[in-house]
Every structure is written in structure tokens, then in C-alpha cells.
Amino acid sequence: VLRGLCDQTGAMIDVSGERDTPRRLSDRIVTISGQAEQKEWACRGIVERLRRLQDLADPKEPGFFVVIVPAAAVPVIVGAQGATIKEVLAAADGVELSIGKENIMHMPDTPIGFEGTTA
């Protein structure tokens, strides 16, 4: 499935193995690399597949997706006085976002949760 998505989007997609995944995490870590557009299409494809796995066939039914980013990137994502994140949320109508107040235990990363629909 991931190989097809890589071929389709041109992005490189890597899923962490048991040895690469911190013990405190119950899920695998998916790393997407490539050009911005390639990463965007790969992320869309992954979210689409996750929605199917969760039996969220109706695009109006809300789903939940977590992205892990380096803690040092959070201020850039949020922007001065929240300007960047407000702009992103305004373009993504109906999406709610929550940024973890603390890093993931034993990791230099912060979780960002998105909840919304694909409609």
C-alpha cells in the first residue's frame, strides 16, 4: 500500500519498526519526505487510508489525526501571536487543532492533533 502511495506521489514514506518506535508510543511513526507538494499528497493519501481503516466512509464524519513535529518547530508553526496557525485553520474550515503542552516523554517532539472532516 505504501509503495503504491510513494509511486503515486513521488514522496518517500517510512514507517518506524518496533525497534525504532519509542516504547511509550502505541503507534508507529510515519516519516514523509520529498517536495512540499509530494508530502502534501502523501499525507492526504495516508489520512484517506486511515479513515477507511477506522470505517469513516462518510467524509462528513469527523476523524482524528496526530502529527509529531520537533518541539523547536512549534513556534514557527504557530507564528507570531498565532498568525500562521490562524491562517491555516481559516483555510481548513471545520478543523480543530490541539498542540501538546509538553513533548512526548523521552522525545524532543511535540504532538499536534487535528480533528475534522474531509468534506
Side-chain angles (χ1 to χ4, degrees):
V1 174
L2 288 181
R3 180 172 286 155
L5 192 55
C6 288
D7 292 344
Q8 201 175 28
T9 64
M12 298 277 296
I13 303 170
D14 182 56
V15 179
S16 65
E18 283 189 39
R19 291 184 177 181
D20 304 328
T21 305
R23 291 182 186 180
R24 301 247 180 225
L25 293 180
S26 60
D27 295 319
R28 301 275 188 226
I29 297 172
V30 177
T31 304
I32 305 170
S33 22
Q35 299 295 320
E37 188 174 279
Q38 294 170 323
K39 292 187 286 188
E40 180 180 342
W41 283 107
C43 190
R44 287 177 186 267
I46 290 169
V47 169
E48 198 175 279
R49 282 161 178 79
L50 287 172
R51 288 184 60 83
R52 274 192 252 137
L53 286 171
Q54 296 173 17
D55 291 328
L56 297 173
D58 183 354
K60 294 180 182 178
E61 192 171 357
F64 190 74
F65 184 65
V66 177
V67 175
I68 298 173
V69 298
V74 172
V76 176
I77 292 168
V78 172
Q81 297 179 340
T84 305
I85 202 66
K86 286 177 187 173
E87 183 180 329
V88 169
L89 290 173
D93 189 36
V95 173
E96 292 183 27
L97 175 126
S98 62
I99 298 176
K101 293 182 181 178
E102 296 182 15
N103 290 355
I104 297 170
M105 192 175 284
H106 304 295
M107 292 180 66
D109 303 313
T110 302
I112 300 179
F114 298 89
E115 185 172 5
T117 65
T118 58

